[in-house]
Amino acid sequence: MLAGIGKGEGKRMTGWQRVEEGLGHGGYVAWESAIASATGQAGQDHLPVFAVLQPVAGMTLAEVIDASLALPGVHYSRHERDLLATERALAGGGWPHEVRLVAFCPRSMLDRLPAFWRVIEVGPPVLLPQLADPAPGEDLCATQGDLDPRVPVAAVIDDGIAFLNARFRSDPAHSRIRAVWLQASNALSAGDVVCGQVLTGPEIDAHLATGADEADVYAQVNRALYPVTDGALTNRRVAHGTHVLDLAAGAAPLGQDPLREVPILAVQLPPQSVRETAGRRLETYLVQGLRWLLAQVLRQAQGTDVPPMVVTISLGSLAGPGDSHAFLADWLKHEVARHARLTGGAQVRLVIAYGNARLARLVARGELRRSQPMELIWRVQPDDHTSSHLEIRTDASMTTGLQVTLVPPPGSRLPVLEVPWPAPGTSWRLEGPVAAVSSVLDPGGTAQLHVAVAPTVGVATAPPGGWRIALRTTEAEPVRVTARVQRDDTPHGYRTLGRQSWLDHPQGWDWDSDLRGYLAPRSAADAPGCPVTREGSSVAYAGADDPAILFVGAARPVTGEPGHLRPSAYSSEGVRYLARPGESLGPTLAARGDDGVMLAGRRASGVLTGSVARLSGTSMAAPEVARALLGYLLTTPAEAQSESAERTALTGRADWGTPDARMGQGALRA
């Protein structure tokens, strides 16, 4: 038993306040509101709401769409209005299919949202002053664009898109980028999008025609969109998104590379969403970006004669249940199905990095028994400017008899919290705000305990150190529990603000022969009291089960064995022990993320034309698969394309079965 957690400590509750918040939109929304109020940032009063339209009082789908667009104070980007107009045109007089939307609503509306919306997620707030909505939407299936339906479109959602780089031109004077959405959380466009700015192909070509220095153009664009403190990556030498786009679809503007004819669409995520890796900002902007990409390819196609599109997504988080019910997993599957329905079966492939968190000690799982509690030390680091989050989950039917104890770090003199597992919609908050423990019912029926700790430096602060957590059951039946610490580190290229918290346990660690240290979690058989594991360290939406969605692990060559690859040490691992239905068993396949043990990463373009850089990770493996898919779609006639042919083109075999936990269905063919 951990020291300091014992009987009677639940009486030391001074400072913890029970709050009935409803928490219909998750514990993150309430915590963000509390932090914003404490730090004087409450002026961001609009939030993106992700909702499913549902019938009410006999209203048809068309009537519900009209009512949604007419809600006072609610704003939509142009592509959202266009998508809703397209759905309205196809709806007829009934309710033929599910329709979703993304709307920007005043914070005050969250308690009185319309009955014909079923809210799935609420994103982080944005600054939204008075804004005139764009004109009514148009039916995207009736547009007459000039995209060749035989040539696939390459798309990427990432940060730092160097839209002037010669690697993305069809010739020295013309860009292959048909449009790029430069998203921003606090900057507005009165035109197509609520947040940010869209640059079209002709506008990019106009920049090229001036002969201006690329760095000067990026600085000018970024100055208008982002605060200086956001650190836009196109102002720097290396940008993750540019690197990914080059690996996926880059080609010299002169030469015989067939990818030189492939058009590009891109979404540049706001720096704030990428810098804060907990995933709250990232996932909501990613969904908006994907909907914009799919609307763009419809807008630029010839009616429903839509070319296939391969979208590379090389960013992710651990936030969420980690199964098929995760917000992003569910929404990505919906977008794939919706696009096929609107276009009559046009192909879209989402190629996603599986994750790099295998070695980060962020996951724990185990079975509680009366005689065997789960005990963890959650190490929150000093000088952390962002909140730290831990999500604990179990089956909703198993919360009876569960006892939760949270002990602040030694020397902090903060009170201990010892309570039964709270009912959904209830939270305990240590005022300051210092910490909060919130109970939420996940969409898939799992019970979630969301533990949030304030930044350890700044206005609202929490003490760094080991926050000790214990879960006990008074019932005879064993209880399966999973814990996930959310990503909190700052990516390369940004000012370091977040510092990653992690899970520890006093029963120690085993020798890791690859890393040459006592860094491997002890197996459940050897140490049943040590639940820290590397399994389930993939991105939280890796449970998205759809043939059109491919998750890619990273591998490296084996010295002395030409053509043979083995998993890179950091590449995330699927679940084997105590797997819940819908959890990811492993990636779809693996591709090279490193060129060797002593040569980490893959080489690709830097921000400026002619520069190169080397970056490592599953982020670099995913675009390798995207490039292979583009080549397959370019060279294989439409009538010869099939799921089995595509699988054979990727891995050399069509009979895919249960994936390996690290390599999936095998390595990408050279």
Side-chain angles (χ1 to χ4, degrees):
M1 180 175 292
L2 294 176
I5 303 180
K7 293 182 179 180
E9 299 220 16
K11 298 178 181 178
R12 303 196 330 235
M13 300 287 286
T14 305
W16 286 96
Q17 297 182 4
R18 183 185 177 100
V19 183
E20 300 290 341
E21 293 175 307
L23 297 175
H25 314 303
Y28 287 93
V29 175
W31 179 252
E32 287 164 358
S33 298
I35 289 290
S37 297
T39 56
Q41 299 174 359
Q44 297 179 324
D45 58 353
H46 277 69
L47 299 95
V49 174
F50 301 77
V52 179
L53 300 185
Q54 55 188 7
V56 170
M59 295 173 68
T60 66
L61 176 56
E63 291 170 338
V64 168
I65 289 174
D66 289 342
S68 298
L69 291 172
L71 288 170
V74 177
H75 298 283
Y76 300 86
S77 293
R78 179 188 171 190
H79 63 274
E80 285 294 334
R81 289 182 171 269
D82 289 345
L83 289 171
L84 289 174
T86 304
E87 296 283 16
R88 192 187 193 287
L90 299 174
W95 202 282
H97 47 255
E98 181 182 270
V99 174
R100 300 187 181 189
L101 56 75
V102 181
F104 288 84
C105 302
R107 188 188 296 273
S108 58
M109 274 189 65
L110 290 185
D111 295 328
R112 50 183 180 86
L113 292 171
F116 45 78
W117 284 8
R118 176 170 64 83
V119 176
I120 297 178
E121 183 78 3
V122 176
V126 297
L127 182 62
L128 196 62
Q130 293 298 317
L131 181 69
D133 277 326
E138 60 177 331
D139 182 358
L140 292 172
C141 291
T143 58
Q144 291 298 314
D146 60 355
L147 284 176
D148 186 341
R150 298 166 299 179
V151 179
V153 176
V156 66
I157 305 175
D158 215 298
D159 67 356
I161 307 295
F163 51 84
L164 300 177
N165 197 299
R167 295 285 293 173
F168 314 133
R169 301 182 203 170
S170 56
D171 60 59
H174 296 90
S175 177
R176 294 157 53 205
I177 299 178
R178 305 287 297 241
V180 56
W181 178 10
L182 308 175
Q183 293 182 334
S185 58
N186 293 321
L188 306 174
S189 167
D192 292 345
V193 290
V194 169
C195 292
Q197 174 186 1
V198 172
L199 290 178
T200 64
E203 289 172 330
I204 296 173
D205 290 346
H207 282 299
L208 294 175
T210 65
D213 186 274
E214 292 177 18
D216 292 340
V217 175
Y218 296 138
Q220 176 186 350
V221 171
N222 292 332
R223 193 178 302 117
L225 282 173
Y226 311 120
V228 174
T229 53
D230 272 5
L233 284 195
T234 47
N235 285 344
R236 297 172 178 262
R237 183 179 67 87
V238 181
H240 186 276
T242 299
H243 205 87
V244 168
L245 183 55
D246 189 27
L247 288 171
L254 298 173
Q256 302 301 315
D257 191 332
L259 289 186
R260 191 164 63 89
E261 306 303 322
V262 170
I264 295 171
L265 292 170
V267 174
Q268 178 177 284
L269 296 164
Q272 196 177 44
S273 74
V274 179
R275 184 184 66 220
E276 193 170 292
T277 52
R280 275 281 295 154
R281 298 180 184 276
L282 174 70
E283 292 190 351
T284 56
Y285 282 105
L286 195 154
V287 166
Q288 295 175 62
L290 180 59
R291 288 174 71 81
W292 178 83
L293 287 173
L294 296 174
Q296 279 293 320
V297 78
L298 276 167
R299 178 176 288 116
Q300 299 190 33
Q302 302 172 21
T304 55
D305 202 4
V306 179
M309 182 164 67
V310 179
V311 185
T312 306
I313 303 171
S314 277
L315 295 167
S317 72
L318 271 73
D323 56 27
S324 57
H325 299 289
F327 163 62
L328 206 50
D330 171 70
W331 202 290
L332 293 181
K333 289 183 64 175
H334 166 78
E335 293 299 333
V336 168
R338 178 188 61 80
H339 188 70
R341 172 171 54 80
L342 292 182
T343 60
Q347 296 187 72
V348 59
R349 295 289 182 270
L350 307 182
V351 184
I352 304 173
Y354 194 58
N356 304 328
R358 178 173 176 265
L359 305 179
R361 302 184 181 184
L362 304 183
V363 184
R365 62 178 61 235
E367 277 191 331
L368 305 185
R369 301 175 185 273
R370 284 179 180 172
S371 60
Q372 184 179 304
M374 176 183 281
E375 301 178 340
L376 292 168
I377 301 175
W378 180 22
R379 299 206 178 276
V380 177
Q381 298 209 51
D383 199 29
D384 187 350
H385 292 251
T386 59
S387 297
S388 298
H389 301 276
L390 170 66
E391 296 177 2
I392 303 172
R393 285 181 169 82
T394 188
D395 297 333
S397 60
M398 303 301 294
T399 58
T400 302
L402 278 183
Q403 300 290 322
V404 181
T405 304
L406 177 64
V407 181
S412 66
R413 309 185 72 176
L414 292 174
V416 173
L417 174 70
E418 188 170 7
V419 293
W421 188 288
T426 303
S427 71
W428 289 90
R429 186 179 298 164
L430 185 56
E431 286 307 311
V434 175
V437 177
S438 306
S439 177
V440 183
L441 188 63
D442 284 336
T446 56
Q448 176 201 155
L449 203 65
H450 172 219
V451 186
V453 171
T456 56
V457 64
V459 177
T461 61
W467 290 73
R468 291 171 292 169
I469 299 162
L471 297 174
R472 296 180 178 79
T473 180
T474 60
E475 303 294 309
E477 190 173 354
V479 181
R480 180 176 52 187
V481 173
T482 301
R484 281 171 166 243
V485 176
Q486 301 318 306
R487 290 284 301 275
D488 189 29
D489 52 336
T490 300
H492 174 76
Y494 294 95
R495 176 189 170 202
T496 301
L497 293 174
R499 302 192 67 206
Q500 183 62 58
S501 60
W502 51 283
L503 297 175
D504 199 358
H505 195 276
Q507 290 192 5
W509 308 85
D510 280 339
W511 179 260
D512 189 315
S513 58
D514 288 336
L515 301 178
R516 312 301 296 172
Y518 286 95
L519 300 169
R522 302 186 70 187
S523 67
D526 295 335
C530 180
V532 182
T533 179
R534 290 171 174 173
E535 293 187 8
S537 51
S538 62
V539 292
Y541 49 97
D545 183 18
D546 191 292
I549 305 175
L550 289 76
F551 291 92
V552 184
R556 61 171 177 81
V558 178
T559 303
E561 300 181 32
H564 184 64
L565 300 178
R566 64 172 297 175
S568 298
Y570 56 78
S571 187
S572 293
E573 188 170 339
V575 180
R576 290 292 185 268
Y577 177 63
L578 297 178
R580 297 196 319 268
E583 284 192 292
S584 172
L585 302 179
T588 311
L589 73 164
R592 187 179 293 194
D594 302 282
D595 287 330
V597 177
M598 304 304 293
L599 194 60
R602 302 302 310 279
R603 193 173 69 167
S605 181
V607 170
L608 301 181
T609 295
S611 65
V612 293
R614 181 175 287 278
L615 296 179
S616 177
T618 56
S619 296
M620 305 306 121
E624 296 281 352
V625 174
R627 195 178 192 92
L629 279 172
L630 290 169
Y632 164 78
L633 294 169
L634 268 175
T635 57
T636 307
E639 59 273 14
Q641 295 176 13
S642 66
E643 184 175 298
S644 61
E646 182 179 305
R647 289 178 171 183
T648 302
L650 292 177
T651 63
R653 59 186 181 86
D655 56 331
W656 288 6
T658 302
D660 178 79
R662 305 286 305 286
M663 294 291 287
Q665 304 296 339
L668 177 70
R669 295 175 67 180

